[in-house]
Coordinates of all heavy atoms in Angstrom, one line a residue:
M196 N 63.5 -34.3 7.7 CA 63.2 -34.3 6.3 C 64.6 -34.4 5.5 O 65.5 -33.7 5.8 CB 62.5 -33.0 5.9 CG 62.2 -32.9 4.5 SD 61.5 -31.3 3.9 CE 60.3 -30.9 5.2
S197 N 64.6 -35.3 4.5 CA 65.8 -35.5 3.8 C 66.0 -34.3 2.8 O 65.1 -33.6 2.5 CB 65.8 -36.8 3.0 OG 64.9 -36.7 1.9
G198 N 67.2 -34.2 2.3 CA 67.5 -33.2 1.3 C 66.7 -33.3 0.0 O 66.3 -32.4 -0.6
I199 N 66.5 -34.6 -0.3 CA 65.7 -34.9 -1.6 C 64.2 -34.4 -1.4 O 63.7 -33.8 -2.2 CB 65.8 -36.4 -1.9 CG1 67.2 -36.7 -2.3 CG2 64.8 -36.7 -3.0 CD1 67.4 -38.2 -2.6
D200 N 63.6 -34.8 -0.2 CA 62.3 -34.3 0.1 C 62.2 -32.8 0.0 O 61.2 -32.2 -0.5 CB 61.8 -34.8 1.4 CG 61.5 -36.3 1.4 OD1 61.4 -36.8 0.3 OD2 61.4 -36.9 2.5
K201 N 63.1 -32.1 0.6 CA 63.1 -30.7 0.6 C 63.2 -30.1 -0.8 O 62.5 -29.2 -1.2 CB 64.2 -30.1 1.5 CG 64.2 -28.6 1.7 CD 65.2 -28.2 2.7 CE 65.1 -26.7 2.9 NZ 66.1 -26.1 3.8
S202 N 64.1 -30.7 -1.6 CA 64.3 -30.1 -2.9 C 63.0 -30.4 -3.8 O 62.6 -29.6 -4.6 CB 65.5 -30.6 -3.6 OG 65.5 -32.0 -3.8
R203 N 62.4 -31.6 -3.5 CA 61.2 -31.9 -4.3 C 60.1 -31.0 -3.9 O 59.3 -30.5 -4.8 CB 60.7 -33.4 -4.0 CG 59.5 -33.8 -4.7 CD 59.0 -35.1 -4.4 NE 60.0 -36.2 -4.6 CZ 59.9 -37.4 -4.1 NH1 58.8 -37.7 -3.4 NH2 60.8 -38.3 -4.3
R204 N 59.9 -30.7 -2.6 CA 58.9 -29.7 -2.2 C 59.2 -28.4 -2.8 O 58.2 -27.7 -3.3 CB 58.9 -29.7 -0.7 CG 57.8 -28.7 -0.1 CD 57.7 -28.8 1.3 NE 57.3 -30.2 1.7 CZ 57.0 -30.6 2.9 NH1 57.1 -29.8 3.9 NH2 56.6 -31.8 3.1
T205 N 60.4 -27.9 -2.8 CA 60.7 -26.6 -3.4 C 60.4 -26.6 -4.9 O 59.8 -25.7 -5.4 CB 62.2 -26.3 -3.2 OG1 62.5 -26.4 -1.8 CG2 62.6 -25.0 -3.8
F206 N 60.7 -27.7 -5.6 CA 60.4 -27.8 -7.0 C 58.9 -27.7 -7.2 O 58.4 -27.0 -8.1 CB 61.0 -29.1 -7.6 CG 60.5 -29.4 -9.0 CD1 61.1 -28.7 -10.0 CD2 59.5 -30.3 -9.2 CE1 60.7 -28.9 -11.3 CE2 59.1 -30.5 -10.5 CZ 59.7 -29.9 -11.6
L207 N 58.1 -28.5 -6.4 CA 56.7 -28.5 -6.6 C 56.1 -27.1 -6.3 O 55.2 -26.7 -7.1 CB 56.0 -29.6 -5.7 CG 56.3 -31.0 -6.1 CD1 55.8 -32.0 -5.1 CD2 55.8 -31.3 -7.5
K208 N 56.5 -26.4 -5.3 CA 56.0 -25.1 -5.0 C 56.4 -24.2 -6.2 O 55.5 -23.3 -6.6 CB 56.7 -24.6 -3.7 CG 56.0 -25.0 -2.5 CD 56.7 -24.3 -1.3 CE 56.1 -24.8 0.0 NZ 56.8 -24.2 1.2
G209 N 57.5 -24.3 -6.7 CA 57.9 -23.4 -7.8 C 57.1 -23.7 -9.1 O 56.7 -22.8 -9.8
S210 N 56.8 -25.0 -9.3 CA 56.0 -25.3 -10.5 C 54.6 -24.8 -10.3 O 54.0 -24.3 -11.3 CB 55.9 -26.8 -10.6 OG 57.2 -27.4 -10.8
A211 N 54.0 -24.9 -9.1 CA 52.6 -24.4 -8.9 C 52.6 -22.9 -9.1 O 51.7 -22.3 -9.7 CB 52.2 -24.8 -7.5
A212 N 53.6 -22.2 -8.6 CA 53.7 -20.7 -8.7 C 53.8 -20.3 -10.2 O 53.2 -19.4 -10.7 CB 54.8 -20.2 -7.9
A213 N 54.6 -21.1 -11.0 CA 54.8 -20.8 -12.4 C 53.5 -21.0 -13.1 O 53.1 -20.2 -14.0 CB 55.9 -21.7 -13.0
L214 N 52.7 -22.0 -12.8 CA 51.5 -22.3 -13.5 C 50.5 -21.2 -13.2 O 49.8 -20.7 -14.1 CB 50.9 -23.6 -13.1 CG 49.6 -24.1 -13.7 CD1 49.8 -24.2 -15.2 CD2 49.1 -25.4 -13.2
A215 N 50.4 -20.8 -11.9 CA 49.5 -19.7 -11.5 C 49.9 -18.4 -12.2 O 49.0 -17.5 -12.4 CB 49.6 -19.5 -10.0
A216 N 51.1 -18.2 -12.6 CA 51.5 -17.0 -13.2 C 51.3 -17.0 -14.7 O 51.5 -15.9 -15.3 CB 53.0 -16.7 -12.9
L217 N 50.8 -18.1 -15.3 CA 50.6 -18.1 -16.7 C 49.6 -17.0 -17.1 O 48.6 -16.9 -16.5 CB 50.1 -19.4 -17.2 CG 51.0 -20.5 -17.5 CD1 50.3 -21.8 -17.8 CD2 51.9 -20.2 -18.6
P218 N 49.9 -16.2 -18.1 CA 48.9 -15.2 -18.5 C 47.6 -15.8 -19.0 O 47.6 -16.9 -19.6 CB 49.6 -14.4 -19.6 CG 50.9 -15.1 -19.9 CD 51.1 -16.2 -18.9
L219 N 46.5 -15.2 -18.7 CA 45.2 -15.7 -19.2 C 45.2 -15.9 -20.7 O 44.6 -16.8 -21.2 CB 44.1 -14.7 -18.8 CG 42.7 -15.1 -19.2 CD1 42.3 -16.4 -18.6 CD2 41.7 -14.0 -18.8
S220 N 45.9 -15.0 -21.4 CA 46.0 -15.1 -22.9 C 46.6 -16.4 -23.3 O 46.2 -17.0 -24.3 CB 46.8 -13.9 -23.5 OG 48.1 -13.9 -23.0
T221 N 47.5 -17.0 -22.5 CA 48.1 -18.3 -22.9 C 47.0 -19.3 -22.8 O 46.9 -20.2 -23.7 CB 49.3 -18.6 -22.0 OG1 50.2 -17.5 -22.1 CG2 49.9 -19.9 -22.3
L222 N 46.3 -19.3 -21.7 CA 45.2 -20.3 -21.5 C 44.2 -20.2 -22.6 O 43.7 -21.2 -23.1 CB 44.6 -20.2 -20.1 CG 45.5 -20.5 -19.0 CD1 44.9 -20.1 -17.6 CD2 45.9 -22.0 -19.0
L223 N 43.8 -18.9 -22.9 CA 42.8 -18.7 -24.0 C 43.3 -19.3 -25.3 O 42.6 -19.9 -26.0 CB 42.5 -17.2 -24.1 CG 41.7 -16.6 -23.0 CD1 41.7 -15.1 -23.2 CD2 40.4 -17.2 -22.8
H224 N 44.6 -19.0 -25.6 CA 45.1 -19.4 -26.9 C 45.1 -20.9 -27.0 O 44.9 -21.5 -28.1 CB 46.5 -18.9 -27.0 CG 47.2 -19.3 -28.3 ND1 46.8 -18.7 -29.5 CD2 48.1 -20.2 -28.7 CE1 47.5 -19.2 -30.5 NE2 48.3 -20.1 -30.0
H225 N 45.3 -21.6 -25.9 CA 45.3 -23.1 -26.0 C 44.0 -23.7 -25.7 O 43.9 -24.9 -25.6 CB 46.4 -23.6 -25.0 CG 47.8 -23.2 -25.4 ND1 48.4 -23.8 -26.5 CD2 48.6 -22.3 -25.0 CE1 49.6 -23.2 -26.7 NE2 49.7 -22.3 -25.7
G226 N 42.9 -22.9 -25.6 CA 41.6 -23.4 -25.5 C 41.2 -23.9 -24.2 O 40.1 -24.5 -24.0
S227 N 42.0 -23.7 -23.2 CA 41.6 -24.1 -21.8 C 40.4 -23.3 -21.2 O 39.7 -23.8 -20.5 CB 42.8 -24.1 -20.9 OG 43.8 -24.9 -21.4
V228 N 40.4 -22.0 -21.6 CA 39.4 -21.1 -21.2 C 38.9 -20.4 -22.4 O 39.6 -20.0 -23.2 CB 40.0 -20.1 -20.2 CG1 38.9 -19.1 -19.8 CG2 40.5 -20.8 -19.0
R229 N 37.6 -20.3 -22.5 CA 37.0 -19.6 -23.7 C 36.6 -18.2 -23.3 O 36.1 -17.9 -22.2 CB 35.8 -20.3 -24.2 CG 36.2 -21.6 -24.8 CD 35.3 -22.1 -25.8 NE 35.3 -21.2 -27.0 CZ 34.7 -21.4 -28.1 NH1 34.2 -22.6 -28.3 NH2 34.7 -20.6 -29.1
A230 N 36.9 -17.2 -24.1 CA 36.6 -15.8 -23.8 C 35.1 -15.6 -23.9 O 34.4 -16.3 -24.6 CB 37.3 -14.9 -24.9
E231 N 34.7 -14.7 -23.1 CA 33.3 -14.3 -23.1 C 33.1 -12.8 -23.5 O 32.0 -12.3 -23.3 CB 32.7 -14.5 -21.7 CG 32.8 -15.9 -21.2 CD 31.9 -16.9 -22.0 OE1 30.8 -16.4 -22.5 OE2 32.2 -18.1 -22.1
S232 N 34.1 -12.2 -24.0 CA 34.0 -10.9 -24.5 C 33.2 -10.8 -25.8 O 33.2 -11.8 -26.5 CB 35.4 -10.2 -24.6 OG 36.1 -10.8 -25.6
R233 N 32.6 -9.7 -26.0 CA 31.7 -9.6 -27.2 C 32.5 -8.9 -28.3 O 33.2 -8.0 -28.1 CB 30.5 -8.8 -26.8 CG 29.6 -9.6 -25.8 CD 28.4 -8.8 -25.4 NE 27.6 -9.6 -24.5 CZ 26.4 -9.1 -24.0 NH1 26.0 -7.9 -24.3 NH2 25.7 -9.9 -23.3
A234 N 32.3 -9.4 -29.5 CA 32.9 -8.8 -30.7 C 32.4 -7.4 -30.9 O 31.2 -7.1 -30.7 CB 32.6 -9.7 -31.9
E235 N 33.3 -6.6 -31.3 CA 32.9 -5.2 -31.8 C 32.9 -5.2 -33.3 O 33.6 -6.0 -33.9 CB 33.9 -4.2 -31.2 CG 33.9 -4.2 -29.7 CD 34.9 -3.1 -29.2 OE1 35.5 -2.4 -30.0 OE2 35.0 -3.1 -27.9
D236 N 32.2 -4.3 -33.8 CA 32.2 -4.1 -35.3 C 33.6 -4.0 -35.8 O 34.5 -3.4 -35.2 CB 31.4 -2.8 -35.7 CG 29.9 -2.9 -35.5 OD1 29.5 -4.0 -35.1 OD2 29.2 -1.9 -35.8
G237 N 33.9 -4.7 -36.9 CA 35.2 -4.7 -37.5 C 36.1 -5.7 -36.9 O 37.3 -5.8 -37.2
H238 N 35.7 -6.6 -36.0 CA 36.6 -7.6 -35.3 C 37.4 -8.4 -36.4 O 38.6 -8.5 -36.2 CB 35.7 -8.6 -34.5 CG 36.6 -9.6 -33.8 ND1 37.3 -9.4 -32.7 CD2 36.8 -10.9 -34.2 CE1 38.0 -10.5 -32.4 NE2 37.7 -11.4 -33.3
A239 N 36.7 -8.9 -37.4 CA 37.4 -9.6 -38.5 C 36.4 -9.7 -39.6 O 35.1 -9.8 -39.4 CB 37.9 -11.0 -38.1
H240 N 36.8 -9.8 -40.8 CA 36.0 -10.1 -42.0 C 34.8 -9.1 -42.1 O 33.6 -9.5 -42.3 CB 35.5 -11.5 -42.0 CG 36.7 -12.5 -42.0 ND1 37.5 -12.7 -43.0 CD2 37.1 -13.3 -41.0 CE1 38.4 -13.6 -42.7 NE2 38.2 -14.0 -41.4
D241 N 35.0 -7.8 -41.8 CA 33.9 -6.8 -41.9 C 32.8 -7.1 -40.9 O 31.6 -6.7 -41.2 CB 33.4 -6.7 -43.3 CG 34.6 -6.2 -44.3 OD1 35.4 -5.5 -43.8 OD2 34.5 -6.7 -45.4
Y242 N 33.0 -7.8 -39.8 CA 32.0 -8.2 -38.9 C 31.2 -6.9 -38.4 O 31.8 -5.9 -38.1 CB 32.6 -8.9 -37.7 CG 31.5 -9.2 -36.6 CD1 30.7 -10.2 -36.7 CD2 31.4 -8.3 -35.5 CE1 29.7 -10.5 -35.7 CE2 30.4 -8.5 -34.5 CZ 29.6 -9.6 -34.6 OH 28.7 -9.8 -33.7
V243 N 29.9 -7.1 -38.3 CA 29.0 -6.1 -37.7 C 28.1 -6.8 -36.7 O 27.6 -7.9 -37.0 CB 28.3 -5.2 -38.7 CG1 29.2 -4.3 -39.4 CG2 27.5 -6.1 -39.7
N244 N 27.7 -6.1 -35.6 CA 26.8 -6.7 -34.6 C 25.4 -6.6 -35.1 O 24.5 -7.4 -34.6 CB 26.9 -6.0 -33.3 CG 28.1 -6.5 -32.5 OD1 28.4 -7.7 -32.5 ND2 28.9 -5.6 -31.9
D245 N 25.1 -5.8 -36.1 CA 23.8 -5.7 -36.6 C 23.9 -5.9 -38.1 O 24.4 -5.0 -38.8 CB 23.2 -4.3 -36.3 CG 21.7 -4.2 -36.7 OD1 21.3 -5.0 -37.5 OD2 21.1 -3.2 -36.3
A246 N 23.3 -7.0 -38.6 CA 23.4 -7.3 -40.1 C 22.9 -6.2 -41.0 O 23.4 -6.0 -42.1 CB 22.7 -8.6 -40.4
A247 N 22.0 -5.4 -40.5 CA 21.5 -4.3 -41.3 C 22.6 -3.3 -41.6 O 22.5 -2.6 -42.7 CB 20.4 -3.5 -40.5
D248 N 23.6 -3.2 -40.8 CA 24.7 -2.3 -41.1 C 25.6 -2.8 -42.2 O 26.5 -2.1 -42.7 CB 25.6 -2.1 -39.8 CG 24.9 -1.4 -38.7 OD1 23.9 -0.7 -39.1 OD2 25.3 -1.5 -37.6
A249 N 25.4 -4.1 -42.7 CA 26.1 -4.6 -43.8 C 25.4 -4.6 -45.1 O 25.8 -5.1 -46.1 CB 26.5 -6.1 -43.4
S250 N 24.2 -3.9 -45.1 CA 23.4 -3.9 -46.3 C 24.1 -3.4 -47.5 O 23.7 -3.8 -48.6 CB 22.1 -3.1 -46.0 OG 22.4 -1.8 -45.7
D251 N 25.1 -2.6 -47.4 CA 25.8 -2.1 -48.5 C 27.1 -2.9 -48.9 O 27.8 -2.5 -49.8 CB 26.1 -0.6 -48.4 CG 27.1 -0.3 -47.2 OD1 27.2 -1.3 -46.3 OD2 27.6 0.8 -47.0
H252 N 27.3 -4.0 -48.2 CA 28.4 -4.8 -48.4 C 28.2 -5.7 -49.6 O 27.1 -6.2 -49.8 CB 28.7 -5.7 -47.2 CG 30.1 -6.3 -47.2 ND1 30.4 -7.4 -48.0 CD2 31.2 -6.0 -46.5 CE1 31.7 -7.7 -47.8 NE2 32.2 -6.9 -46.9
A253 N 29.2 -5.8 -50.5 CA 29.0 -6.6 -51.7 C 28.6 -8.0 -51.5 O 27.9 -8.6 -52.3 CB 30.3 -6.5 -52.5
R254 N 29.0 -8.6 -50.4 CA 28.7 -10.0 -50.2 C 27.4 -10.3 -49.4 O 26.9 -11.4 -49.2 CB 29.8 -10.7 -49.4 CG 31.1 -10.7 -50.3 CD 32.0 -11.9 -49.9 NE 31.3 -13.1 -50.1 CZ 31.4 -14.2 -49.4 NH1 32.1 -14.2 -48.3 NH2 30.8 -15.3 -49.7
F255 N 26.8 -9.2 -48.8 CA 25.7 -9.4 -48.0 C 24.4 -9.6 -48.8 O 24.2 -9.0 -49.8 CB 25.5 -8.1 -47.1 CG 24.3 -8.2 -46.2 CD1 24.3 -9.0 -45.0 CD2 23.1 -7.6 -46.5 CE1 23.2 -9.1 -44.2 CE2 22.0 -7.7 -45.7 CZ 22.0 -8.4 -44.6
E256 N 23.6 -10.5 -48.3 CA 22.3 -10.8 -48.9 C 21.3 -10.8 -47.7 O 21.5 -11.2 -46.6 CB 22.2 -12.1 -49.6 CG 23.0 -12.1 -50.9 CD 23.0 -13.5 -51.6 OE1 22.0 -14.2 -51.4 OE2 23.9 -13.7 -52.4
E257 N 20.1 -10.2 -48.0 CA 19.0 -10.1 -47.0 C 18.8 -11.5 -46.3 O 18.8 -12.5 -47.0 CB 17.8 -9.6 -47.6 CG 16.7 -9.1 -46.7 CD 17.2 -7.8 -45.9 OE1 17.9 -7.0 -46.5 OE2 16.8 -7.8 -44.7
G258 N 18.6 -11.5 -45.0 CA 18.3 -12.7 -44.3 C 19.6 -13.4 -43.7 O 19.4 -14.3 -43.0
Q259 N 20.7 -13.0 -44.1 CA 22.0 -13.6 -43.6 C 22.2 -13.0 -42.2 O 22.4 -11.8 -42.0 CB 23.1 -13.3 -44.5 CG 23.0 -13.9 -45.9 CD 24.2 -13.6 -46.8 OE1 25.0 -12.6 -46.5 NE2 24.4 -14.3 -47.9
L260 N 22.3 -13.9 -41.3 CA 22.6 -13.6 -39.9 C 23.5 -14.6 -39.3 O 23.5 -15.8 -39.7 CB 21.3 -13.6 -39.1 CG 20.1 -12.7 -39.5 CD1 18.8 -13.1 -38.8 CD2 20.5 -11.2 -39.2
C261 N 24.2 -14.2 -38.3 CA 25.1 -15.2 -37.6 C 24.3 -16.4 -37.2 O 24.8 -17.6 -37.3 CB 25.8 -14.6 -36.4 SG 27.1 -13.4 -36.8
E262 N 23.1 -16.3 -36.7 CA 22.4 -17.4 -36.1 C 22.0 -18.4 -37.2 O 21.6 -19.5 -36.9 CB 21.2 -16.9 -35.3 CG 20.1 -16.3 -36.2 CD 18.9 -15.8 -35.3 OE1 18.9 -16.1 -34.1 OE2 18.1 -15.1 -35.9
N263 N 22.1 -18.1 -38.5 CA 21.8 -19.1 -39.5 C 23.0 -19.3 -40.4 O 22.9 -19.8 -41.5 CB 20.5 -18.7 -40.3 CG 20.6 -17.4 -41.0 OD1 21.7 -17.0 -41.5 ND2 19.5 -16.7 -41.2
C264 N 24.1 -19.0 -39.9 CA 25.4 -19.3 -40.6 C 26.0 -20.7 -40.1 O 25.8 -21.1 -39.0 CB 26.4 -18.2 -40.2 SG 28.1 -18.4 -40.7
V265 N 26.7 -21.3 -41.1 CA 27.2 -22.6 -40.8 C 28.2 -22.6 -39.6 O 28.5 -23.6 -39.0 CB 27.9 -23.2 -42.1 CG1 29.1 -22.5 -42.4 CG2 28.1 -24.7 -41.9
F266 N 28.8 -21.4 -39.4 CA 29.8 -21.3 -38.3 C 29.2 -21.0 -36.9 O 29.9 -20.9 -35.9 CB 30.8 -20.2 -38.6 CG 31.7 -20.5 -39.8 CD1 31.5 -19.9 -41.0 CD2 32.7 -21.5 -39.7 CE1 32.4 -20.2 -42.1 CE2 33.5 -21.8 -40.8 CZ 33.4 -21.1 -42.0
W267 N 27.9 -20.7 -36.9 CA 27.2 -20.4 -35.7 C 27.3 -21.6 -34.7 O 27.0 -22.7 -35.1 CB 25.8 -20.1 -35.9 CG 25.0 -19.8 -34.6 CD1 24.0 -20.6 -34.1 CD2 25.0 -18.6 -33.8 NE1 23.5 -20.0 -33.0 CE2 24.1 -18.8 -32.8 CE3 25.8 -17.5 -33.8 CZ2 23.9 -17.9 -31.8 CZ3 25.6 -16.6 -32.8 CH2 24.7 -16.7 -31.8
G268 N 27.8 -21.4 -33.5 CA 27.9 -22.4 -32.6 C 26.8 -22.4 -31.6 O 25.6 -22.1 -32.0
E269 N 27.0 -22.6 -30.4 CA 26.0 -22.6 -29.4 C 25.7 -21.2 -29.0 O 26.5 -20.3 -28.9 CB 26.4 -23.4 -28.2 CG 27.6 -22.8 -27.5 CD 28.3 -23.7 -26.6 OE1 27.9 -23.8 -25.4 OE2 29.2 -24.4 -27.1
G270 N 24.4 -20.9 -28.7 CA 24.1 -19.7 -28.1 C 24.5 -19.6 -26.7 O 24.6 -20.6 -26.0
V271 N 24.8 -18.4 -26.2 CA 25.2 -18.3 -24.8 C 24.1 -17.6 -24.0 O 23.4 -18.3 -23.2 CB 26.5 -17.5 -24.7 CG1 26.9 -17.3 -23.3 CG2 27.6 -18.3 -25.5
E272 N 23.9 -16.4 -24.3 CA 22.8 -15.7 -23.6 C 22.5 -14.3 -24.2 O 23.4 -13.8 -24.9 CB 23.0 -15.5 -22.1 CG 24.2 -14.7 -21.8 CD 24.5 -14.7 -20.3 OE1 23.6 -14.9 -19.5 OE2 25.6 -14.3 -19.9
N273 N 21.4 -13.8 -24.0 CA 21.0 -12.5 -24.5 C 21.4 -12.2 -25.9 O 21.8 -11.1 -26.3 CB 21.7 -11.4 -23.6 CG 21.2 -11.5 -22.2 OD1 20.1 -11.9 -21.9 ND2 22.2 -11.3 -21.2
G274 N 21.2 -13.2 -26.8 CA 21.4 -13.0 -28.2 C 22.8 -13.1 -28.7 O 23.1 -12.7 -29.8
W275 N 23.7 -13.5 -27.8 CA 25.1 -13.7 -28.2 C 25.5 -15.2 -28.1 O 24.9 -15.9 -27.4 CB 26.0 -12.9 -27.2 CG 25.8 -11.4 -27.3 CD1 24.8 -10.7 -26.8 CD2 26.7 -10.5 -28.1 NE1 25.0 -9.4 -27.2 CE2 26.1 -9.3 -27.9 CE3 27.8 -10.7 -28.8 CZ2 26.7 -8.1 -28.5 CZ3 28.4 -9.6 -29.4 CH2 27.8 -8.3 -29.3
G276 N 26.4 -15.6 -29.0 CA 26.8 -17.0 -29.0 C 28.2 -17.1 -29.6 O 28.9 -16.2 -29.9
R277 N 28.5 -18.4 -29.8 CA 29.9 -18.7 -30.2 C 29.9 -18.8 -31.8 O 28.9 -19.3 -32.3 CB 30.4 -20.0 -29.6 CG 30.5 -19.9 -28.1 CD 31.3 -21.0 -27.5 NE 31.1 -21.0 -26.0 CZ 31.6 -20.1 -25.2 NH1 32.3 -19.1 -25.7 NH2 31.4 -20.2 -23.9
C278 N 31.0 -18.4 -32.3 CA 31.2 -18.6 -33.8 C 32.4 -19.6 -33.9 O 33.4 -19.4 -33.2 CB 31.6 -17.3 -34.4 SG 32.2 -17.5 -36.1
T279 N 32.2 -20.6 -34.7 CA 33.3 -21.7 -34.7 C 34.4 -21.3 -35.8 O 35.3 -22.1 -35.9 CB 32.7 -23.0 -35.1 OG1 32.0 -22.9 -36.4 CG2 31.7 -23.5 -34.0
H280 N 34.2 -20.2 -36.5 CA 35.3 -19.8 -37.4 C 36.5 -19.4 -36.5 O 36.4 -18.7 -35.5 CB 34.8 -18.6 -38.2 CG 35.8 -18.2 -39.3 ND1 36.9 -17.6 -39.1 CD2 35.7 -18.5 -40.6 CE1 37.6 -17.4 -40.2 NE2 36.9 -18.0 -41.2
P281 N 37.7 -19.8 -36.9 CA 38.9 -19.6 -36.1 C 39.2 -18.1 -35.8 O 39.8 -17.8 -34.8 CB 40.0 -20.2 -36.9 CG 39.5 -20.7 -38.1 CD 38.0 -20.7 -38.1
D282 N 38.8 -17.2 -36.7 CA 39.0 -15.8 -36.5 C 38.1 -15.2 -35.4 O 38.3 -14.0 -35.1 CB 39.0 -15.0 -37.8 CG 40.1 -15.4 -38.7 OD1 41.1 -15.9 -38.2 OD2 39.9 -15.2 -39.9
F283 N 37.2 -16.0 -34.9 CA 36.3 -15.5 -33.9 C 36.3 -16.3 -32.6 O 35.4 -16.2 -31.8 CB 34.8 -15.4 -34.5 CG 34.6 -14.4 -35.5 CD1 34.8 -14.7 -36.9 CD2 34.2 -13.1 -35.2 CE1 34.7 -13.8 -37.9 CE2 34.1 -12.1 -36.2 CZ 34.3 -12.5 -37.5
D284 N 37.4 -17.1 -32.5 CA 37.4 -18.0 -31.3 C 37.6 -17.3 -30.0 O 37.5 -17.9 -29.0 CB 38.3 -19.2 -31.6 CG 39.8 -18.8 -31.6 OD1 40.1 -17.5 -31.5 OD2 40.6 -19.7 -31.6
D285 N 38.0 -16.0 -30.0 CA 38.3 -15.3 -28.8 C 37.1 -14.4 -28.4 O 37.3 -13.7 -27.4 CB 39.6 -14.6 -28.9 CG 39.6 -13.6 -30.0 OD1 38.8 -13.7 -31.0 OD2 40.4 -12.6 -30.0
V286 N 36.0 -14.4 -29.1 CA 34.9 -13.5 -28.8 C 33.6 -14.2 -29.0 O 33.5 -15.2 -29.7 CB 35.0 -12.2 -29.7 CG1 36.1 -11.3 -29.3 CG2 34.9 -12.6 -31.2
L287 N 32.6 -13.6 -28.5 CA 31.2 -14.0 -28.8 C 30.7 -13.1 -29.9 O 31.1 -12.0 -30.0 CB 30.3 -13.8 -27.5 CG 30.7 -14.6 -26.3 CD1 29.8 -14.3 -25.1 CD2 30.6 -16.1 -26.6
V288 N 29.8 -13.6 -30.7 CA 29.2 -12.8 -31.8 C 27.7 -12.7 -31.5 O 27.1 -13.6 -30.8 CB 29.5 -13.4 -33.2 CG1 31.0 -13.4 -33.4 CG2 28.9 -14.8 -33.3
R289 N 27.1 -11.7 -32.1 CA 25.7 -11.5 -31.9 C 24.9 -12.3 -32.9 O 25.2 -12.4 -34.1 CB 25.4 -10.0 -32.1 CG 24.1 -9.6 -31.6 CD 24.0 -8.1 -31.4 NE 22.6 -7.8 -31.0 CZ 21.8 -7.1 -31.8 NH1 22.2 -6.7 -33.0 NH2 20.5 -6.9 -31.5
A290 N 23.8 -12.9 -32.4 CA 22.9 -13.8 -33.3 C 22.5 -13.0 -34.5 O 22.4 -13.5 -35.6 CB 21.7 -14.3 -32.5
E291 N 22.3 -11.7 -34.4 CA 21.8 -10.8 -35.5 C 23.0 -10.1 -36.2 O 22.8 -9.2 -36.9 CB 20.8 -9.8 -35.0 CG 19.5 -10.5 -34.5 CD 18.4 -9.6 -34.1 OE1 18.6 -8.4 -34.2 OE2 17.4 -10.1 -33.6
G292 N 24.2 -10.6 -35.9 CA 25.4 -10.0 -36.6 C 25.6 -10.7 -37.9 O 24.9 -11.5 -38.4
W293 N 26.7 -10.3 -38.5 CA 27.1 -10.8 -39.8 C 28.6 -10.5 -40.1 O 29.1 -9.5 -39.6 CB 26.2 -10.1 -40.9 CG 26.5 -10.6 -42.3 CD1 26.0 -11.6 -43.0 CD2 27.4 -10.0 -43.3 NE1 26.5 -11.7 -44.3 CE2 27.4 -10.7 -44.5 CE3 28.3 -8.9 -43.2 CZ2 28.2 -10.4 -45.6 CZ3 29.1 -8.6 -44.3 CH2 29.0 -9.3 -45.5
C294 N 29.2 -11.3 -40.9 CA 30.5 -11.0 -41.4 C 30.6 -11.6 -42.8 O 29.8 -12.4 -43.3 CB 31.6 -11.5 -40.5 SG 32.1 -13.2 -40.8
S295 N 31.7 -11.2 -43.5 CA 31.8 -11.5 -44.9 C 32.2 -13.0 -45.2 O 32.3 -13.4 -46.4 CB 32.9 -10.6 -45.6 OG 34.1 -10.7 -45.0
V296 N 32.5 -13.8 -44.2 CA 32.7 -15.2 -44.5 C 31.4 -16.0 -44.2 O 31.4 -17.2 -44.1 CB 33.9 -15.8 -43.7 CG1 35.2 -15.2 -44.2 CG2 33.8 -15.6 -42.2
Y297 N 30.3 -15.3 -44.1 CA 29.0 -16.0 -43.8 C 28.8 -17.1 -44.9 O 29.1 -16.9 -46.1 CB 27.9 -15.0 -44.0 CG 26.5 -15.6 -43.9 CD1 25.8 -15.8 -42.7 CD2 25.9 -16.1 -45.1 CE1 24.6 -16.5 -42.7 CE2 24.7 -16.7 -45.1 CZ 24.0 -16.9 -43.9 OH 22.8 -17.5 -43.9
A298 N 28.3 -18.2 -44.4 CA 27.9 -19.3 -45.3 C 26.6 -19.9 -44.7 O 26.5 -20.1 -43.5 CB 29.0 -20.4 -45.4
P299 N 25.6 -20.2 -45.5 CA 24.4 -20.7 -45.0 C 24.5 -22.0 -44.3 O 25.3 -22.9 -44.8 CB 23.5 -20.8 -46.2 CG 24.4 -20.7 -47.4 CD 25.6 -20.0 -47.0
A300 N 23.8 -22.2 -43.2 CA 23.9 -23.5 -42.5 C 23.4 -24.7 -43.2 O 23.8 -25.8 -43.0 CB 23.2 -23.3 -41.1
S301 N 22.4 -24.4 -44.1 CA 21.9 -25.6 -44.9 C 21.4 -25.2 -46.2 O 21.2 -24.0 -46.5 CB 20.9 -26.3 -44.1 OG 19.8 -25.4 -43.8
Ligands
SF4_634 S1 31.4 -16.7 -39.6 FE1 29.1 -16.7 -39.5 S2 28.6 -16.9 -37.3 FE2 30.8 -16.3 -37.5 S3 30.8 -14.0 -37.4 FE3 30.7 -14.6 -39.5 S4 28.5 -14.6 -40.1 FE4 28.7 -14.7 -37.8

């Protein structure tokens, strides 16, 4: 094996190890992997998992739910789904949840 082949192999091994060592948060931040954790109350914009808990919020109106919000993305399972608002891109939100940036889908 030539010296160049050996150094190339060493370089490739080092690169693979460096990629494997990238923190998950880096991959999440760049959108390569989407988080599946569920939002907790207060995640952002006064978010609550149960819209009824927002009934005393100044912006809340009856019938407003994540599932009929313009930011509601695809459902995932068990009443949870994706929100396309950038402040929720790292969590799933509940279909029956609500937050103060709610906007009607139509
Ligand atoms: S932006 Fe809409 S879908 Fe996203 S958390 Fe707020 S109310 Fe729910």
